[in-house]
Amino acid sequence: MKRPRVEFAVVISLLLLSAVVVARGISVQQKLNKNKNKNKNKNKNAYATMMYMGTPRDYEFYVATRVMMRSLYKLHVQADLVVIASIDVPLHWVHSMEVEDGLKVVRVKNVHNPYIADNDHDRFKLTLNKLYAWNLLEYERVIMLDVDNLFLQNTDELFQCGQFCAAFINPCIFHTGLFVLQPSAQVFKDMLYQLQMKRPNEDGADQGFIGGYFSNLLDMPMFYPPANGSKLNGYYRLPLGYQMDASYYYLKLRWNVPCGPNSVITFPGAVWMKPWYWWSWPVLPLGFSWHEQRRKTLGYGAEMPMVLLEVLLYLGIITLTRLARPSFSKLCYRRFEPKNVLLYHTSLKFLAITSIIAAYIFPFIIIPHTIHPVIGWSLYLLGSFSFCSIAINAFLLPTLAVLTPCIGTFGVLLVMAFPWYKDGVARALAVFAYAFCASPILWVTYSKVVATLQVSIEREAFLPSRLSDSPPVSGFNKLY
C-alpha cells in the first residue's frame, strides 16, 4: 500500500517543479519584452551566429541559438545580435527570433561546399555559411560565434581587435567557435573564389578552410584591449580565456586559465553530449550551468506540455498494469502442446528480458531532448518504473530485481553529481568504484529474474490455464 503514495509524491514533485520552470520562463519573457527595444538601436558592431537546416538536431541548435543570444542581452552588450539563417529555416522560427528575442535575422543561400565528398560528417556540410560574416558590411567589427558557447561575462572589448582574431585552444590550430573579424566585401569575394578553386581544407568544413586562409595567425601578437577604447589593426591571437575548452574543466573541476579573462566556455566534441541535452548533466558537470542560463533566459515553456503528457501516460501505465495483473499473467502463461513447449519457453524468456531492457531505453528516447536535466532524469526514472511495471505484472517477476537498474541509475547520478570532489580524477575513480560494486548486484538480480521466469513456466505446466481445462494426467509428474 506504500507504493501508490510514493508514486503520488513523485508526480506531485514533478508537477510543482514544472510549474516553477514555466512561471520562471513567463517572467523572463516579460522582462525581455520590456527591454528588447533598447537593443534595436543601430550599433557599429555585432555578435553573429549562423543557422541552417538538414541535420537530425536542427531544433536543438535552434534552442541553443536563442539561449545564447538571450544570455548576451542579459549581459547588456552594446552590439546588434545577428543570426545568419539559410532560406530554408522555418518562418515561425525566424518570427520567434525576431519578435520574441529581438534578433536581426539575415536570410542567405547556402554556400556550396566543394569538400562534401571529403567530409564524413553531414552536419558540417553547410558550416561554410559562416563566411557570410564577412559580408555584414554595415558593421565595423563582428564577433562570429558557434551556438555551443556559454558566456560568463560581457566581451565587448573584443570589438577593439583587428581584422581577424581567434583563440588557439589547440596548440597549433585556432578555433572557429569564436573569432573577431572586420567585414570586407573583398575578403568575402576572395573566400568564395578560393572555395571554387577548392583550396586545401583539412576537415572539409569551416574550421579547416578559415584555418588555412589565416594560416599565419600563430605568429601574430596577443590581443590586449587598448585602454582608450580604440580599435586595433592587423591580426591577433585571443587569450585562451575567450574560448575555454570545457574538457579542461573536467580534469580539475575548476577553471585555471591564467592568460586573459575567463569570459567564454566552449563545448567542442561529440554533438550528442552538447550541454543543452538533459542527459549531459551530471555526466558533464558544466551542462547544468548551460541549463541554468536557459532557465534564466528562454525558459522551458515549449517542452512542458510534452512533459505533463508523459507524466500522465506513465501514471496511467502504472495504474492499468496493476489493475490488469491477473489478465496479463494469463496471456503470458498458457499451456501448449509438447511439440511447442521448448520454443514457447525460450520465446517467453526472451520476451521478458527484452521488455525489461526496452523499459530502460524507450523513456530515454521520448523525453524532450532539451528539457532541464532535473526534470529529464526524474521523468526518465518515472518512465522506466512505469514500463518495468508492465514486465513485473505480466510475467509475475520480483519487483525489486526488475527495478534494480533504475535504483542503480539513481545512485550513479548521485555519485556523479556530488559537488565536493577534489578534482576530476577523484570523481572518475568514485564512478568506477560504484560501477565495480554494483556489477555483482546487477548479475545477481538478472539471475533472479531468469530463475523466477523458469519457476513460473514450470508451475504453469502443471496448472490449468483456465478453470475449464482438464488437469494433467496423474502420471505426468512422476518424474518430479
Side-chain angles (χ1 to χ4, degrees), residues 8 77 97 140 246 258 306 314 361 471:
F8 180 76
V77 297
M97 291 187 291
E140 294 180 3
M306 184 63 181
Y314 297 149
I361 296 177

Side-chain angles (χ1 to χ4, degrees), residues 356-366 380 384:
I356 295 174
I357 296 174
Y360 289 99
I361 296 177
F362 188 65
F364 190 89
I365 297 173
I366 64 175
Y380 173 76
S384 298

Side-chain angles (χ1 to χ4, degrees), residues 328-400:
F328 276 179
S329 59
K330 287 180 181 179
L331 288 173
C332 292
Y333 295 111
R334 294 182 298 174
R335 289 186 300 144
F336 281 76
E337 295 298 326
K339 62 181 181 180
N340 296 322
V341 167
L342 181 60
L343 177 61
Y344 166 66
H345 289 181
T346 303
S347 300
L348 192 62
K349 292 179 181 179
F350 176 79
L351 180 61
I353 299 300
T354 302
S355 65
I356 295 174
I357 296 174
Y360 289 99
I361 296 177
F362 188 65
F364 190 89
I365 297 173
I366 64 175
I367 295 173
H369 291 172
T370 54
I371 197 63
H372 194 280
V374 174
I375 298 178
W377 283 112
S378 300
L379 202 59
Y380 173 76
L381 294 174
L382 179 62
S384 298
F385 177 81
S386 68
F387 287 115
C388 282
S389 67
I390 298 176
I392 292 170
N393 293 296
F395 299 100
L396 304 178
L397 299 175
T399 301
L400 184 60

